Amino acid sequence: MNQQPAAQLATQITLDITWHYSATEAMSRFLAGLRERRIEALRCDGCGRRYLPPRPFCGRCCLRMHNWVPVADMGTIEAWTVVHVPVLDSRTGAPRPLPYGMALIRLDGADTTLNHYLDETDPAELCIGARVRAVWRDEVVGAMDDISHFEVLR
Amino acid sequence: MRAVAVVGTGQTRHASRRDDVSQPELVHEAVCAALADAAMTPADVDAVLIGNMELFEGRALPELWVGAGALASGVCDTVLVVGFGKHSEGHTQTGMALTDPFWDRSVASGAVGNFALSVSQYVSERGVTEEQAARVAVKARRNAARNPHAHLQRADLTVEEVLASRVLAHPLHLLDMCPQSDGAAAVVIAAGEIARRHNPRPAWVKATATRHDQCYIGDLDKRLLRMPTLRDAAASAYRQAGIDDPLRDLDVAEIYEPCTYAELAWYEALGFCPDGEAGRLVDSATTEMEGELPVNPSGGVLSTNPVGASGVIRVAEAALQIHGRGGARQVPDVQMALATGYGVYAWADVIVLGDTP
């Protein structure tokens, strides 16, 4: 008996999952600081590196870190781009409007860099070494995006 | 320690969607090809190491490294190493953005944005041009046209077309980036006399090195420029394999280049040229199929990227060059071949294969 091959089927699955994360001690202190628009890093006694995000141990020296040091909400662009592909906004779940500027920023008082958004989307206006200042949201909740973006200073 | 060698390789047809096979069927396709290439049956295999994108393990080579160690120490005689990825059934970009929920998840830029940030530093210090990067894209897709497994095959791609493709994240154009593919790859490694029985030209493992760095991306300064993990791993592997001048001593390289500028940066990190000379190296056609050191005859990650298999593919492609089974992409008389793996700047793997133990 001849049988026709069955049509290939596919299915779509949508997930809506809730996760629970623990911030642990160092990050909890850092996030509490953001609620007061204050940024703090942990400094390693061994190599002197001032780490953002703060974490309990220096990965280079394997030393526990205790010394909190203040960090400014101003810094320098170490790398930049203007992105034209969508990324989801973590607050709304909706795609961010395009294009958007992004940078690796070294905040004054920290030795590591952080990723953040810029208010500038014209490549001709962006360069490594440019100074930037955090623009805080009116309502801060103790999250990294209490800083909505960085303003490029001219 | 016993000598170990890659004796068989197998790959699927790689494509943006393989709706004709499930994930296990995809693995089956690659494994059957590898076992056939090694003239083995499943009963000949002592152990299987399998990895995929989930924990990034198939992308790098630690599973091969562990496999080689088990063989060398005599725990096993034959090991099957498999990497697979079916991106059409996943959310790779979302997955890549699931970084630390307290630190950078809300400001993540995805893989493309992340590369572009590093590229801005690389371009600023090295002065490479968009045209030089585009030449890497042209080379990759042209080579891929000789590789029946490759996902993106374009024998006639031009620099102008690369530059005219849409900008994803300044200065990266669509054609500067790797695709997302469905695919799997498998290699069979065997020890000593078993290796010789199963392949007339085994690809002997001359050196392996893996290096990891700190986990936060902002910890890594000028990551594309400095790439200490790849530089350290390469230095160690070259020492183990007795390589003084990689450009002279290697006959072919299969390197893990997620974007065109990364290939240029890896030329420097791998010692194919001094720092700052990568643009000139690509201009001189040294790394083309007919050049002194062909890089990625397969078309590379730029042409085929089932991420969890991309590291294993590099090893398979380097090995088949030694086996002499490269078909239209075969480089003549390969005695020493390099394969590398890479992940988010924080880690790198280097393996050297040779035609003698």
Side-chain angles (χ1 to χ4, degrees), chain B residues 77-235:
Chain B
D77 289 326
T78 56
V79 175
L80 173 70
V81 181
V82 187
F84 70 99
K86 201 167 184 219
H87 290 264
S88 67
E89 293 183 350
H91 259 268
T92 306
Q93 288 309 318
T94 304
M96 303 275 292
L98 295 180
T99 52
D100 187 321
F102 299 107
W103 173 244
D104 52 4
R105 186 176 294 188
S106 61
V107 290
S109 49
V112 181
N114 219 337
F115 282 124
L117 289 171
S118 304
V119 167
S120 75
Q121 295 176 324
Y122 186 73
V123 169
S124 163
E125 283 207 21
R126 296 288 196 255
V128 297
T129 64
E130 282 194 318
E131 288 75 14
Q132 287 169 327
R135 249 168 234 142
V136 174
V138 169
K139 169 175 78 67
R141 281 57 180 254
R142 189 197 296 138
N143 289 355
R146 307 195 202 193
N147 174 3
H149 301 283
H151 174 180
L152 299 178
Q153 306 186 18
R154 282 288 308 276
D156 57 349
L157 185 65
T158 63
V159 165
E160 291 69 32
E161 275 180 274
V162 176
L163 298 180
S165 65
R166 69 192 169 90
V167 173
L168 300 182
H170 184 88
L172 293 173
H173 296 263
L174 176 68
L175 292 173
D176 280 311
M177 288 301 302
C178 57
Q180 291 179 29
S181 317
D182 288 355
V187 298
V188 180
I189 45 182
E193 283 311 308
I194 298 158
R196 286 192 182 84
R197 277 208 300 280
H198 284 273
N199 193 310
R201 277 181 60 84
W204 299 97
V205 178
K206 309 286 283 185
T208 58
T210 298
R211 294 289 186 276
H212 288 223
D213 207 330
Q214 301 206 50
C215 54
Y216 287 102
I217 210 118
D219 291 0
L220 309 170
D221 253 353
K222 300 190 177 179
R223 49 217 192 187
L224 198 55
L225 284 155
R226 294 190 181 159
M227 197 60 189
T229 50
L230 187 59
R231 284 175 195 261
D232 287 359

Side-chain angles (χ1 to χ4, degrees), chain A residues 35-48:
Chain A
R35 272 205 299 271
E36 296 162 14
R37 296 186 170 81
R38 178 161 47 80
I39 303 172
E40 289 178 298
L42 267 172
R43 182 179 175 281
C44 173
D45 288 336
C47 63

Side-chain angles (χ1 to χ4, degrees), chain B residues 209-287:
Chain B
T210 298
R211 294 289 186 276
H212 288 223
D213 207 330
Q214 301 206 50
C215 54
Y216 287 102
I217 210 118
D219 291 0
L220 309 170
D221 253 353
K222 300 190 177 179
R223 49 217 192 187
L224 198 55
L225 284 155
R226 294 190 181 159
M227 197 60 189
T229 50
L230 187 59
R231 284 175 195 261
D232 287 359
S236 168
Y238 292 162
R239 231 178 359 256
Q240 295 171 48
I243 291 171
D244 301 320
D245 176 354
L247 194 62
R248 183 197 64 206
D249 298 343
L250 294 169
D251 300 306
V252 66
E254 278 287 340
I255 65 175
Y256 196 115
E257 58 0 333
C259 69
T260 53
Y261 292 89
E263 176 156 330
L264 297 173
W266 300 170
Y267 288 171
E268 297 171 358
L270 290 166
F272 297 171
C273 65
D275 287 353
E277 297 288 320
R280 230 169 295 175
L281 195 71
V282 79
D283 283 344
S284 68
T286 303
T287 57

Side-chain angles (χ1 to χ4, degrees), chain A residues 49 55 78 81-82 84 144, chain B residues 103 121 168 170 218-219 221:
Chain A
R49 213 169 183 219
R55 77 288 306 255
E78 296 287 334
T81 185
V82 176
H84 296 265
M144 205 49 218
Chain B
W103 173 244
Q121 295 176 324
L168 300 182
H170 184 88
D219 291 0
D221 253 353

